[in-house]
Amino acid sequence: MTSQLSVPAPPRIVVSAPGSGQGKTTIATGLMAALRHRGEQVAGFKIGPDYIDPGYHSLATGRPGRNLDPRLCSEELMLPLLLHGSRSPGPADVAVIEGVMGLYDGQLGTDGYASTAHVARLLQAPVIIVLDVSGVSRTAAALVRGLIAEDARLSIAGVIMNKVGSPRHAGEIRRALDDHGIVTLGAVPRDRGVSVPSRHLGLMPAAERPDAVDVIGRLADELADSVDLDAVLTAARNAPVIAGTPWDPTTVVRPASDERPVVAIAGGRAFTFRYAETEELLSAAGCRPVSFDPAEDIALPADTAGIYLGGGFPEVHAESLARNAPLRDAIADAVGRGVPTVAECAGLLYLAKSCDDQPMVGVLPTDGVMTERLTLGYRTGVADHDQLLAGAGETVTGHEFHRTAVTPDGSTPPAWLLGGRPEGFSLDPAGTGTPTVHASYLHIHWAGHPTVAQRFADAAHRYRQRVGQHAYDLDHHGDRDIADGLVDLAVNVRLGAPPAWLATILRDSIDHLAGYPRIDAATQAIAAAHGADIDQVLPTAGGAEGFTLIARGVRGDHPLVVHPQFTEPEAALRAAGRRPRRLVLSEADGFVLDPSAVDDHANLIMIGNPTNPTGVLHPADQIRALVRPGRVVCVDEAFMDAVPGERESLLGGDLTGIVVLRSLTKTWGLAGLRAGYAVGDPAIIADLRRQQAPWSVSTPAADAIVACLSAQARAEAARAAEEFDRLRTPLVSGLRDLGLSVLGDPATPFVLVDCAGWPGRPGWLRLALRDHGVAARRGDTFPGLGPDWIRVAVRDPGTTRGFLSTLADIKAGAVNHQEIPA
């Protein structure tokens, strides 16, 4: 399991009882705190799957509380996990291990497997019995004798009486114990305000009690007065000498890349349940766990590439979670763009549409409700498909513990099959081709299933590599910002449907779908439209395929992407395993290209012209100035046909070292068809052609290319470009009249707007527009821009007037009624 040398186990003691409710947690936590106050370094453990008790252990010891559960992690891991916890973050002088339920109570139907007695035997640890004596006296001795007689392999170190009524009461019990040779280690008086309050799932978590530290301090004092701590330490030190190899997360997982993707870990009062080893495994797998509070923080940690939503009590804190709409929106957005997300129990409820009628994140098609029924027990989960945490057919052992319920509608794959019953959700909301969301009631101890940690960490690494530095979402496009009922100013498609003449051609193409696509006519049409040779052109399935072909087919060990621009070029490079550098143009210079700023080592440059989203039209001579031997310059001219006269296009001139990508989808309402092409240096085009999958350009797309490059269609596109010029003018002036800054002199069917001139937190205006029924393209997914930027499409005069009126209403409401968010 590890190359580490074998080390001895520390002095250790197990705190158990005849049953639940005897005061194990109070006594065990008090012992930990009292021993720590004496100067001992104490490691605290909890037998079983419980999360709440380790929270108190952590406060008492000053180090992570940990769990020991052979059902979740196997018998073989009990000693390694004890050794690990006793040596991390530093060596402990003694380990105090709190038991679960009664001494011999384990998994039902297994004769006590995973019971306190089972773990005590595995660790050869002496046992202290905690007895609630509030209703007994001499009978206490009979109870302890029965516990001792049940298993002679156990070493019972002594008894701590709890809830003693008086010294006389304690003396009577002590004499009865002495008569049978049973050591009395202490007598704790009845509650003096130091017990831990309970609710529907047991004890209240320490993180939810502002007085928890004070309570544990008083408890330490109480135990120091009423328990013989020297005798407890002696019992722990009398544990047999055993040795083993500490558990080491670095031997069971490994980093998938040199990146350090941030994994956002939910914490705070609502999310208190997670095993310490989870974060240790993520760190060992090359991730950087960062905590956030879903009730308080309004944004995810910077550079988030994975989200872990563990257990807790969202039903108790539903109102505060619901009030934090900015974070709910941020998580919904992150999940929607494919950030790998694990949600266990509380996390499942938080991702639902609602929890007890309070709105939650809303990415799962279900609602969470409280029920009268407690669901509790170990479960074996089976993956019925390749999902985020497991491959098809793989199994895990976990446990359920909840009084809430959700009702999947059966339309989505389950997270697990539990005894053949589908449970939870496995979703791919970003359409990545593999599930990126795993939401389930099942709690898993990842130390027992390190492949779960590895798969999740690998997914975070892949996301980080795809998105790149600074956590810009390179996969976010305008279609993500629109929704039913919103006026769409986010997507830059000129027409709601292809014109009638083009629709007829597309319908006629259906008659030829039985045959494989042929692109000869499309190739000739492209060459004729741009005065190019046949070997200089290549039809593609939209501009996006062109970026993929370049990323895979054009050599260059120093790729560079000029930003801000359309994010797909960088995303394609990263998906191909390449690590592009960024040249982020300056806002102060209007995001205008300075060729001298380009790295001399760059041998593949990708730039947009006119640029999406800035609207900047770079002079063709400046782009040509980038060409040199051994370098390829790729120019995205997807919006050039919206520029009157297509001025500054590189087509029609020398294309040595240049490849130009064009898209027909924007002008002709063909986003759902995918039609585009590449024109450039014949050697570059040949490289792209070798990468292109057979028949990637469909018959309708090929027919559309021919039709849209006809003389009549090009004349219609030229008229549309002139119309965009006229329609853009009132939009720009109206925005500026409202105090918003429009970047430069845009040459595109959209404008880039800086909202920083309006007060309020960054990004609030875009969200306010959504609340008023308008979708604008968010700017913070473009490298070089932030949340105050939005991109707005040029539309017809009526839509523009309505948009400007909505902005005026938002501004008036904010100023007159102080509705601008702080």
Side-chain angles (χ1 to χ4, degrees):
M1 188 176 91
T2 177
S3 59
Q4 285 187 345
L5 297 176
S6 180
V7 299
R12 56 204 178 276
I13 199 78
V14 172
V15 179
S16 188
S20 297
Q22 300 279 312
K24 287 191 306 294
T25 300
T26 301
I27 301 302
T29 304
L31 285 175
M32 294 175 194
L35 291 170
R36 184 188 181 196
H37 286 186
R38 282 179 45 140
E40 305 287 344
Q41 293 296 319
V42 184
F45 296 87
K46 170 68 179 180
I47 295 173
D50 183 89
Y51 290 99
I52 299 178
D53 295 349
Y56 288 96
H57 299 171
S58 180
L59 288 179
T61 63
R63 55 200 289 153
R66 298 176 184 272
N67 294 72
L68 298 170
D69 190 320
R71 185 70 181 92
L72 297 182
C73 294
S74 80
E75 292 180 315
E76 293 74 20
L77 276 180
M78 292 302 95
L79 179 57
L81 286 172
L82 174 78
L83 295 171
H84 170 70
S86 299
R87 298 168 65 83
S88 178
D93 300 313
V94 62
V96 177
I97 307 164
E98 181 187 342
V100 58
M101 299 186 292
L103 177 58
Y104 296 105
D105 301 326
Q107 183 181 5
L108 294 177
T110 63
D111 296 328
Y113 192 91
S115 66
T116 302
H118 181 195
V119 175
R121 289 195 304 268
L122 292 172
L123 301 178
Q124 298 183 40
V127 178
I128 293 175
I129 301 297
V130 175
L131 277 181
D132 179 350
V133 297
S134 56
V136 298
S137 58
R138 295 188 64 83
T139 305
L143 290 172
V144 178
R145 288 179 62 200
L147 294 174
I148 295 172
E150 178 66 19
D151 189 343
R153 294 171 295 177
L154 288 181
S155 170
I156 305 298
V159 173
I160 295 177
M161 295 178 277
N162 190 28
K163 298 185 180 180
V164 173
S166 65
R168 184 180 179 188
H169 182 204
E172 184 74 10
I173 300 171
R174 190 187 301 271
R175 286 191 297 274
L177 294 171
D178 288 346
D179 289 345
H180 298 285
I182 301 170
V183 178
T184 301
L185 296 171
V188 180
R190 284 182 183 148
D191 178 37
R192 294 181 180 174
V194 293
S195 64
V196 182
S198 301
R199 61 168 173 238
H200 61 279
L201 288 182
L203 301 180
M204 181 181 291
E208 297 188 45
R209 295 193 63 187
D211 64 339
V213 173
D214 291 340
V215 167
I216 289 174
R218 295 198 304 272
L219 186 56
D221 293 340
E222 182 67 51
L223 268 289
D225 289 341
S226 55
V227 173
D228 186 345
L229 297 180
D230 289 329
V232 170
L233 282 174
T234 298
R237 292 165 179 160
N238 285 337
V241 176
I242 57 172
T245 304
W247 178 78
D248 181 357
T250 64
T251 64
V252 291
V253 296
R254 61 184 180 183
S257 73
D258 293 333
E259 301 279 0
R260 289 283 292 168
V262 169
V263 174
I265 307 285
R269 295 163 66 88
F271 291 89
T272 56
F273 300 178
R274 63 181 179 274
Y275 297 116
E277 291 81 3
T278 297
E279 294 183 42
E280 292 170 341
L281 282 161
L282 289 174
S283 295
C287 297
R288 186 154 54 96
V290 178
S291 295
F292 72 102
D293 186 344
E296 300 293 337
D297 295 324
I298 64 171
L300 285 165
D303 300 345
T304 291
I307 301 173
Y308 178 86
L309 305 168
F313 290 103
E315 64 273 26
V316 174
H317 302 284
E319 186 174 343
S320 60
L321 294 173
R323 279 199 305 268
N324 194 357
L327 184 68
R328 289 192 289 112
D329 289 342
I331 292 177
D333 178 73
V335 171
R337 53 185 157 87
V339 173
T341 302
V342 173
E344 285 191 351
C345 200
L348 165 68
L349 297 174
Y350 185 51
L351 292 186
K353 292 184 291 185
S354 69
C355 179
D356 272 357
D357 297 325
Q358 293 285 347
M360 294 288 110
V361 174
V363 299
L364 301 180
T366 191
D367 297 284
V369 295
M370 283 292 295
T371 69
E372 295 297 322
R373 179 174 178 267
L374 173 63
T375 300
L376 171 65
Y378 293 109
R379 306 282 186 265
T380 297
V382 180
D384 69 345
H385 63 288
D386 287 337
Q387 40 116 314
L388 180 60
L389 297 186
E394 293 181 4
T395 63
V396 298
T397 299
H399 74 100
E400 286 188 278
F401 186 36
H402 55 93
R403 285 192 185 275
T404 59
V406 298
T407 307
D409 60 8
S411 64
T412 59
W416 304 109
L417 296 180
L418 304 182
R421 169 180 60 87
E423 191 277 328
F425 302 83
S426 175
L427 305 178
D428 179 20
T432 65
T434 185
T436 57
V437 175
H438 180 98
S440 168
Y441 272 122
L442 195 66
H443 292 288
I444 304 169
H445 197 308
W446 287 11
H449 299 281
T451 56
V452 166
Q454 187 72 69
R455 287 180 72 98
F456 178 58
D458 288 352
H461 279 273
R462 288 194 299 271
Y463 182 85
R464 167 72 173 173
Q465 290 177 306
R466 188 169 74 250
V467 169
Q469 61 183 344
H470 306 312
Y472 290 103
D473 180 9
L474 303 180
D475 294 328
H476 187 99
H477 302 300
D479 60 322
R480 291 268 191 85
D481 292 306
I482 62 176
D484 291 342
L486 297 181
V487 175
D488 175 16
L489 300 182
V491 175
N492 295 307
V493 176
R494 178 175 70 98
L495 302 173
W501 60 266
L502 181 54
T504 298
I505 291 172
L506 295 176
R507 281 192 291 270
D508 289 346
S509 72
I510 294 174
D511 295 337
H512 306 288
L513 291 184
Y516 287 95
R518 298 182 62 86
I519 59 171
D520 296 348
T523 303
Q524 293 168 1
I526 298 166
H530 298 292
D533 296 331
I534 293 296
D535 63 354
Q536 290 182 296
V537 304
L538 179 68
T540 62
E545 187 194 24
F547 297 126
T548 298
L549 299 179
I550 289 168
R552 295 176 178 174
V554 176
R555 290 175 293 278
D557 52 358
H558 294 288
L560 181 141
V561 182
V562 180
H563 285 292
Q565 76 147 310
F566 186 45
T567 54
E568 195 61 31
E570 181 172 332
L573 286 166
R574 291 184 176 279
R578 303 173 74 174
R579 305 294 298 278
R581 296 187 63 185
R582 291 174 177 165
L583 171 59
V584 180
L585 303 180
S586 170
E587 176 187 348
D589 297 332
F591 299 113
V592 173
L593 173 68
D594 177 3
S596 66
V598 174
D599 186 349
D600 288 340
H601 294 93
N603 47 20
L604 170 58
I605 298 174
M606 306 185 91
I607 184 170
N609 200 39
T611 304
N612 172 18
T614 64
V616 171
L617 183 63
H618 302 289
D621 289 345
Q622 288 194 348
I623 296 179
R624 288 190 184 279
L626 301 176
V627 177
R628 64 181 59 181
R631 172 186 284 176
V632 171
V633 177
C634 169
V635 187
D636 174 16
E637 291 191 358
F639 290 100
M640 189 61 78
D641 60 357
V643 177
E646 298 192 1
R647 63 186 189 277
E648 311 303 344
S649 172
L650 271 69
L651 296 181
D654 182 9
L655 293 176
T656 301
I658 295 172
V659 59
V660 174
L661 299 182
R662 286 288 188 97
S663 170
L664 298 172
T665 61
K666 315 297 194 293
T667 294
W668 298 110
L670 296 174
L673 183 62
R674 314 309 304 145
Y677 53 91
V679 182
D681 187 316
I684 301 173
I685 296 298
D687 287 337
L688 305 189
R689 188 175 289 112
R690 281 190 287 270
Q691 292 293 324
Q692 192 173 40
W695 310 295
S696 69
V697 179
S698 67
T699 295
D703 289 349
I705 292 172
V706 173
C708 294
L709 292 180
S710 68
Q712 297 88 341
R714 286 171 61 80
E716 183 176 330
R719 292 191 294 272
E722 298 287 349
E723 180 68 8
F724 273 129
D725 260 6
R726 291 190 293 273
L727 295 175
R728 189 170 51 242
T729 300
L731 173 62
V732 172
S733 61
L735 288 167
R736 288 172 175 163
D737 288 345
L738 288 167
L740 295 168
S741 176
V742 178
L743 181 71
D745 184 19
T748 46
F750 52 82
V751 297
L752 184 63
V753 184
D754 184 358
C755 306
W758 281 21
R761 69 170 184 265
W764 83 270
L765 183 53
R766 180 179 63 85
L767 298 176
L769 283 169
R770 289 186 70 86
D771 291 341
H772 285 73
V774 178
R777 171 67 161 90
R778 66 188 304 164
D780 57 357
T781 63
F782 293 101
L785 301 183
D788 270 328
W789 293 94
I790 59 173
R791 191 191 68 194
V792 177
V794 175
R795 296 286 192 248
D796 62 88
T799 301
T800 295
R801 285 193 298 271
F803 169 57
L804 295 173
S805 177
T806 297
L807 278 173
D809 289 343
I810 293 172
K811 184 175 184 180
V815 171
N816 295 332
H817 303 290
Q818 291 77 49
E819 292 175 359
I820 294 178

